Amino acid sequence: MVRKKQPAKKETTESANDITGRKKTEDALSRSAEQYRLILETAGEAILVVQDLKIKFFNHRAIDLTGYSAAELKDMPFANLVYPDDLELLADGHRRRLKGEPFEHIYPFRYVLKGGRVGWVEISTALIDWEGKPATLSFLSDITERKRIEDALREREDQLSAYLDNAPDGVYMYDLESKFLYVNRWCEEITGYKREELIGNSFMKLNVIAENSLARATELFQDNKNGKGTGPDELELVRKDGCYVPVEINTSIVQRGGEKVALAFIRDISERKKVEIALRESEERFRRLSENAPDVIYRYSVKPDWRFEYISPVVAKLTGYIPEEFYADPLLGLKLVHPEDKDIYKQHFRNIELFGVLCTHRWMHKDGRVIWTERIDVPVYNENGEFIAIEGVIRDISQRKQVEQAARESESLYRLLSEHMTDTVFLMNMDLKPTYLSPSVQRARGFTAQEIMEMPLEENLTPETYKVAAEAFLEEMAKLEANPDYDFKRTVNLEYYRKDGTTFWSENTFSLLRDNNGKPISILGEGRDVTERRKAEEALRQSEYTYHLLAEHMSNTVWMTDMDLNITWLSPSAVKARGYSLDEIYALPLDRQMTPESLGELVRAFEKYTHIEKKGQITQPSASISLELEFYCKDGHIIVADCTFQFLRDEQGKATGILAEARGRPTQTTVLSALWIWSYIVRTAPRYGRQIHSVSFGMRTASRYLYWVRVGT
């Protein structure tokens, strides 16, 4: 029986072995599933399985990322998480993936969190089989902060680009094949080329470098290719118009998009070169006088007595006095000091605390010349610590003073503009918040730049001009909104408050700054104090009013003409004197305005005077011609006027016009000028068979005409 039961035991043993193996497999699978579950739950990325456009699986990070609960995410359409404008981007990628077409496996898009807030994620996808059906496995990484930083950097780069484009020096960038990648406005000014002519082209092939600078430019470019910056270096460029311009160039090697490029700053040094040439010429003159002259070295004893112990022989060249004269007279050094500098000299010499500090003063040379010197003294102590002597060095700085003076004179305009300008330059963002104010604003208003930046705009301006500024800004913004390419440039007069409560008027010019993409980013403003100008304009208006009032009510007739006898001004009293309107006076022939006798007298006088003027024989340029002339009035009667004619002259004494005055006799009214006589001569002479080629010839023609009138022919 035992033998008959043995097969049963074997079968039971085999069955137990099968169960044990399956349990081991199940345990292994369970442990593996637990490991994968832990990986999914602790992953830093959100993991989603999307099937039939719905979310079928997600890890805990997906809940944190979206803000939705597990119940809300389960079977949620994946499109609900996508920002509407980016749906087409994801749909296109999904279609390409299904068709097996090439597509970006990793790309960013915007997603919508619960509550409506928008963030950025970067998605990576793969096709998988989920529960027997195709599905998409997606890994989402939150890149919201990275995008914010990228946008901030981009905005910063745009702002920096705008600043560079308005920098006072040329700024450009080129690759290591010498091709321009960027140039600012001043590069266009310096080279004469437009930006589009430079960018993408090699500065070597454009021939913008002068032949005498080509070798040095090649060396500098080779340094750039070796990763080295250069400068400052002086080169000579050839402008597009063929002119040569000296420049100073500094370069640095920077990274741009993972590529090494050269960033360069260029400055036109034409004016500096002129100054340097002038200074070199000045230095050469002084060098011939002081070449090889060393400094004066001396030792002066103060204890037991005051005297020169030693002074170098070159002092004779500096002062005209030999060393023996200094030894003989301990006070000779003080006696030679310029009278205006004696107090400085004594104070420095007697105050040991000033030893070691440079002292500048003038010495009078033996021949009377003034010598500028720079002295530095060192106290000498004995072993007991007693102050016993002074050792010093005296240097002739006359040449340096001359150079400094020449430099100050040549650079005075620059300093005036850059350091002492009264105009204010400022930048505002598009919300009209100041982002930069030039230091001159404190001189103009008393407020510091920081104080003004913290002040509301309405506290800067008087209420009336604040309204003007607001209306002008709204008007320009409306134009900009209607036309994004509109670049406004607006000038507005505004009244500002000073810190002490007073106000002043400023003429402000505003212009728009854009980034490389054409987006408006800032408003550039320039302000100039025009308070005094406004006062002057108001005074001028009052003066003009008084002037016109006087002109309209004066009884005498005054007029001015140019040298072609074209009237430039005529007082209204001319109309009152003769009854004609100005248009009628212009139209009337001369023989109907003046009696024949007066016409002849004027012709003879003017012909004589112009003949003298033409020969340059005028001895009294301010002399005048006085004539008694008879004029016809509109009502037919004749009036007599005393007329005075005087030439107006420029600074060289050349006649440029005529000033005339007609004064009626006590019994008659004021008459119109003799200008119309001269105009008539010029206009009507051709009627009598002659062409006037000069004023003198015209006068002779008028004389003949007067004769014909008299004889009735």
Side-chain angles (χ1 to χ4, degrees), residues 249-451:
I249 297 177
N250 291 270
T251 69
S252 300
I253 302 302
V254 298
Q255 290 286 336
R256 182 176 184 262
E259 178 185 7
K260 287 185 177 181
V261 298
L263 176 65
F265 296 85
I266 183 170
R267 174 175 294 177
D268 184 344
I269 57 172
S270 302
E271 291 303 317
R272 192 179 82 188
K273 280 294 184 181
K274 293 177 183 178
V275 172
E276 288 175 353
I277 292 172
L279 291 178
R280 279 197 299 270
E281 293 173 352
S282 177
E283 288 171 355
E284 179 62 24
R285 289 194 299 270
F286 286 101
R287 186 188 64 80
R288 288 193 293 267
L289 298 174
S290 58
E291 187 176 13
N292 301 318
D295 298 339
V296 175
I297 302 172
Y298 68 93
R299 179 183 174 99
Y300 192 84
S301 172
V302 297
K303 194 174 184 179
D305 52 4
W306 295 71
R307 62 184 178 85
F308 281 99
E309 293 183 8
Y310 171 81
I311 189 164
S312 58
V314 75
V315 72
K317 186 175 182 179
L318 180 65
T319 67
Y321 295 88
I322 61 176
E324 286 71 17
E325 292 176 281
F326 282 89
Y327 297 145
D329 186 354
L331 297 180
L332 181 56
L334 176 60
K335 293 176 181 178
L336 297 181
V337 175
H338 191 282
E340 295 178 2
D341 295 345
K342 285 188 182 295
D343 289 341
I344 297 175
Y345 185 91
K346 292 177 181 178
Q347 179 183 7
H348 190 91
F349 197 81
R350 294 171 178 173
N351 189 347
I352 198 170
E353 293 180 357
L354 296 177
F355 283 20
V357 178
L358 282 175
C359 175
T360 302
H361 61 80
R362 290 164 289 180
W363 260 356
M364 301 301 300
H365 193 277
K366 197 171 188 177
D367 61 10
R369 289 184 292 118
V370 176
I371 307 298
W372 276 97
T373 64
E374 188 175 72
R375 191 181 89 249
I376 187 166
D377 299 320
V378 177
V380 179
Y381 301 91
N382 63 15
E383 60 276 8
N384 298 322
E386 295 177 307
F387 174 43
I388 60 171
I390 299 170
E391 292 181 350
V393 177
I394 300 174
R395 176 173 297 169
D396 181 357
I397 61 168
S398 301
Q399 181 179 348
R400 191 182 80 191
K401 282 291 185 179
Q402 293 288 344
V403 171
E404 290 173 354
Q405 179 63 24
R408 283 194 295 271
E409 292 174 357
S410 63
E411 295 174 3
S412 59
L413 178 59
Y414 171 78
R415 292 202 314 273
L416 179 65
L417 294 175
S418 64
E419 297 176 6
H420 303 289
M421 68 176 185
T422 56
D423 290 0
T424 302
V425 179
F426 53 93
L427 285 172
M428 298 185 295
N429 61 22
M430 299 307 292
D431 294 326
L432 299 184
K433 297 291 185 181
T435 58
Y436 169 78
L437 288 158
S438 63
S440 54
V441 71
Q442 188 166 359
R443 292 193 294 271
R445 298 186 56 194
F447 294 104
T448 65
Q450 187 61 37
E451 288 174 329

Side-chain angles (χ1 to χ4, degrees), residues 151-310:
D151 291 343
L153 287 174
R154 191 177 300 109
E155 182 179 354
R156 181 66 176 172
E157 288 175 357
D158 291 343
Q159 188 178 41
L160 178 60
S161 178
Y163 291 158
L164 288 177
D165 207 41
N166 290 276
D169 290 335
V171 182
Y172 61 97
M173 189 180 294
Y174 56 93
D175 61 21
L176 299 186
E177 294 181 356
S178 78
K179 291 182 180 179
F180 287 107
L181 303 174
Y182 166 80
V183 297
N184 73 345
R185 179 176 59 85
W186 273 109
C187 289
E188 295 180 313
E189 294 288 335
I190 293 172
T191 65
Y193 289 92
K194 294 295 183 183
R195 194 170 306 189
E196 53 270 19
E197 295 178 288
L198 294 171
I199 293 178
N201 289 314
S202 167
F203 56 78
M204 292 293 189
K205 295 181 180 178
L206 281 174
N207 296 321
V208 296
I209 301 174
E211 186 175 353
N212 60 0
S213 297
L214 193 57
R216 180 56 179 158
T218 303
E219 293 175 2
L220 297 175
F221 181 58
Q222 187 60 46
D223 286 341
N224 291 157
K225 294 178 72 173
N226 294 334
K228 299 178 182 178
T230 64
D233 294 283
E234 294 183 6
L235 301 175
E236 194 169 43
L237 302 185
V238 182
R239 287 174 48 86
K240 188 177 180 180
D241 59 11
C243 295
Y244 289 80
V245 54
V247 296
E248 182 181 86
I249 297 177
N250 291 270
T251 69
S252 300
I253 302 302
V254 298
Q255 290 286 336
R256 182 176 184 262
E259 178 185 7
K260 287 185 177 181
V261 298
L263 176 65
F265 296 85
I266 183 170
R267 174 175 294 177
D268 184 344
I269 57 172
S270 302
E271 291 303 317
R272 192 179 82 188
K273 280 294 184 181
K274 293 177 183 178
V275 172
E276 288 175 353
I277 292 172
L279 291 178
R280 279 197 299 270
E281 293 173 352
S282 177
E283 288 171 355
E284 179 62 24
R285 289 194 299 270
F286 286 101
R287 186 188 64 80
R288 288 193 293 267
L289 298 174
S290 58
E291 187 176 13
N292 301 318
D295 298 339
V296 175
I297 302 172
Y298 68 93
R299 179 183 174 99
Y300 192 84
S301 172
V302 297
K303 194 174 184 179
D305 52 4
W306 295 71
R307 62 184 178 85
F308 281 99
E309 293 183 8
Y310 171 81

Side-chain angles (χ1 to χ4, degrees), residues 65-68 72 76 80-84 110-120 144:
L65 181 69
T66 63
Y68 289 99
E72 291 171 321
M76 174 188 286
N80 289 5
L81 297 178
V82 182
Y83 188 72
R110 287 168 290 183
Y111 74 101
V112 182
L113 289 78
K114 183 177 181 179
R117 188 163 59 88
V118 177
W120 281 89
T144 304

Side-chain angles (χ1 to χ4, degrees), residues 100-154:
E101 296 178 357
F103 67 97
E104 292 290 339
H105 290 273
I106 301 175
Y107 55 91
F109 71 92
R110 287 168 290 183
Y111 74 101
V112 182
L113 289 78
K114 183 177 181 179
R117 188 163 59 88
V118 177
W120 281 89
V121 293
E122 191 172 70
I123 186 171
S124 173
T125 60
L127 290 176
I128 62 171
D129 183 77
W130 183 264
E131 297 180 347
K133 294 176 62 178
T136 301
L137 176 63
S138 300
F139 297 86
L140 284 74
S141 298
D142 188 351
I143 60 170
T144 304
E145 181 62 18
R146 190 183 82 189
K147 291 293 289 184
R148 186 191 66 78
I149 294 173
E150 289 174 353
D151 291 343
L153 287 174
R154 191 177 300 109

